Amino acid sequence: MTVIASPTFDRQTTLSIAAAIACIVSVGIGLSLSIPLLSFAMDAKGASRTLIGINTAMGGVATIACAPFISGWARAYGVRAVLGVAIATGVVSLLAFLVVEPLWAWFPLRFVFGGSLAVLFVLSEYWINAAAPEARRGFVLGIYATALSLGFATGPQILTFVGTAGPAPFLAGSAVFGLAALPVVLARGIAPVIGDEPTSGLMTYLWAAPAGTLAALVFGAAETGAIALLPLYGTAIGLDTMGALSLVTAFVLGNVLFQIPLGMIADRIDRRWVLLFCASVGATGMAVMAMVPLGLTALMALLFVWGGIVAGLYTVGLAHLGSRFRGADLAQANAAFVVMYSIGLIVGPPLAGAGMDFWPPHGLAATLALLFAFYLAVVVTRIAITRQSA
């Protein structure tokens, strides 16, 4: 049975969206638990920081490698079946870290784990986009982004209870990850079906809607660059450790609280204008941070608002793709979106770090401001081209 986005939230649409969101939130909790857990485990084995970083990056490599095939798998075997296999693979591969001893083997294992996550994110986001009513798509994706952010915040908290040593955290992470299978099993008859083939290959979708897909790259780069380097920026401007970490907290809280309002606004006006607004705030906020001396309270307020609004690039970018594509094309576009986000995860921290080295410590904010300015130019150009062709 194919779920088609209805103009209103009927019972089937609501259940379908709820199942997809429940699935990906469980995955988000398991993922945010596993990333620091694996870092601690590798450190305990004597791995260098460089080796740990390269191992973590295998998740992004796996996403880029698997993304072109995901919609084809879902078309051939069904969305629910592929999601089920991905969840099982994620559980087994996470547990395998407990018994696999050689560190070199953790790299292919991390690749398999990352590939399963790529499938889950691409198909869950496709599912939500496909089921969401067009008039409320931004609102639905705002709920999704908020729920996922809360899931990401929950994972590390579980580690504070179970610890980071021994089998307990791996068992807890696998159990939470496995919970994602429950909504998939219960979604029989309400999951979307991909019955057609995409009209183009994945590379085409990377550029078919650049305002949407590049939003993922820019946000991925800004998010990881900020989370990785804001604590170092804070200590460089004279904050103590707790004050420096509070900068990340402010950024993350903004991520959680702004997505539903931004999604609702995006349902009422051209979504590219919302993307333009988000990019403008991104560039302006970082320019202010780079050029104007701010105290801790003012800096936290700036990062709270900045973090919440720039996170709208992901939410509204997804909604923009959902309004442009249907069926297999939407699945491919979602895969392209996740690939762009993964590329952002890979390039963001090195770019921001290089900027910080070039102009310490304000090069962090200056680099991010330039990144948003570039994206701003892309969106302005796309809006101008569309108006000329109308």
Side-chain angles (χ1 to χ4, degrees):
M1 179 178 181
T2 304
V3 172
I4 300 174
S6 65
T8 59
F9 285 107
D10 56 35
R11 182 175 181 273
Q12 179 173 294
T13 300
T14 302
L15 289 174
S16 181
I17 293 170
I21 290 178
C23 171
I24 200 62
V25 168
S26 296
V27 172
I29 295 172
L31 173 60
S32 62
L33 180 152
S34 67
I35 289 175
L37 173 60
L38 292 175
S39 295
F40 280 122
M42 290 190 72
D43 183 64
K45 285 177 170 287
S48 67
R49 299 297 186 272
T50 300
L51 202 62
I52 293 171
I54 294 172
N55 184 264
T56 304
M58 290 300 292
V61 174
T63 297
I64 294 169
C66 294
F69 308 102
I70 294 173
S71 67
W73 294 337
R75 186 173 65 253
Y77 304 108
V79 171
R80 289 175 66 246
V82 176
L83 283 172
V85 170
I87 292 167
T89 303
V91 170
V92 171
S93 57
L94 184 56
L95 288 174
F97 286 105
L98 269 175
V99 295
V100 173
E101 286 296 329
L103 272 178
W104 67 263
W106 282 39
F107 287 84
L109 198 55
R110 191 67 172 256
F111 182 91
V112 172
F113 184 61
S116 69
L117 291 172
V119 172
L120 288 162
F121 274 99
V122 168
L123 291 184
S124 293
E125 289 180 351
Y126 160 71
W127 184 337
I128 295 166
N129 236 336
E134 174 56 34
R136 307 299 300 278
R137 190 182 304 279
F139 173 65
V140 169
L141 288 166
I143 293 174
Y144 156 70
T146 301
L148 184 59
S149 295
L150 291 172
F152 277 134
T154 302
Q157 296 304 311
I158 295 175
L159 290 180
T160 65
F161 290 101
V162 300
T164 58
F170 287 92
L171 294 173
S174 299
V176 172
F177 204 88
L179 286 175
L182 184 60
V184 174
V185 171
L186 296 176
R188 183 179 179 85
I190 59 173
V193 174
I194 303 176
D196 54 344
E197 294 190 10
T199 56
S200 302
L202 183 70
M203 291 301 295
T204 300
Y205 293 92
L206 294 176
W207 307 108
T213 53
L214 282 176
L217 187 150
V218 171
F219 175 63
E223 179 186 41
T224 51
I227 290 175
L229 295 172
L230 272 176
L232 299 180
Y233 171 84
T235 55
I237 62 172
L239 300 178
D240 60 19
T241 301
M242 292 304 296
L245 290 174
S246 69
L247 301 182
V248 178
T249 301
F251 170 78
V252 172
L253 284 175
N255 270 243
V256 172
L257 295 179
F258 277 74
Q259 298 321 296
I260 293 176
L262 283 171
M264 293 173 70
I265 293 170
D267 286 334
R268 287 165 172 77
I269 63 176
D270 187 331
R271 293 184 176 111
R272 291 172 302 175
W273 287 105
V274 183
L275 292 171
L276 188 71
F277 168 71
C278 293
S280 299
V281 171
T284 304
M286 287 297 96
V288 169
M289 184 171 149
M291 304 301 295
V292 180
L294 298 171
L296 176 59
T297 302
L299 190 55
M300 287 182 66
L302 172 66
L303 288 169
F304 174 77
V305 175
W306 179 81
I309 291 178
V310 301
L313 291 175
Y314 196 94
T315 304
V316 181
L318 267 179
H320 180 58
L321 292 182
S323 64
R324 286 285 307 273
F325 303 106
R326 295 291 183 271
D329 286 338
L330 177 57
Q332 282 285 73
N334 269 117
F337 191 84
V338 173
V339 166
M340 283 294 203
Y341 180 74
S342 297
I343 293 173
L345 297 184
I346 294 170
V347 304
L351 279 177
M356 205 169 174
D357 284 338
F358 182 76
W359 182 24
H362 305 293
L364 166 64
T367 301
L368 295 180
L370 290 173
L371 181 67
F372 283 107
F374 160 73
Y375 177 69
L376 190 64
V378 171
V379 179
V380 168
T381 301
R382 292 297 299 175
I383 292 174
I385 291 173
T386 303
R387 284 188 166 186
Q388 290 174 1
S389 60

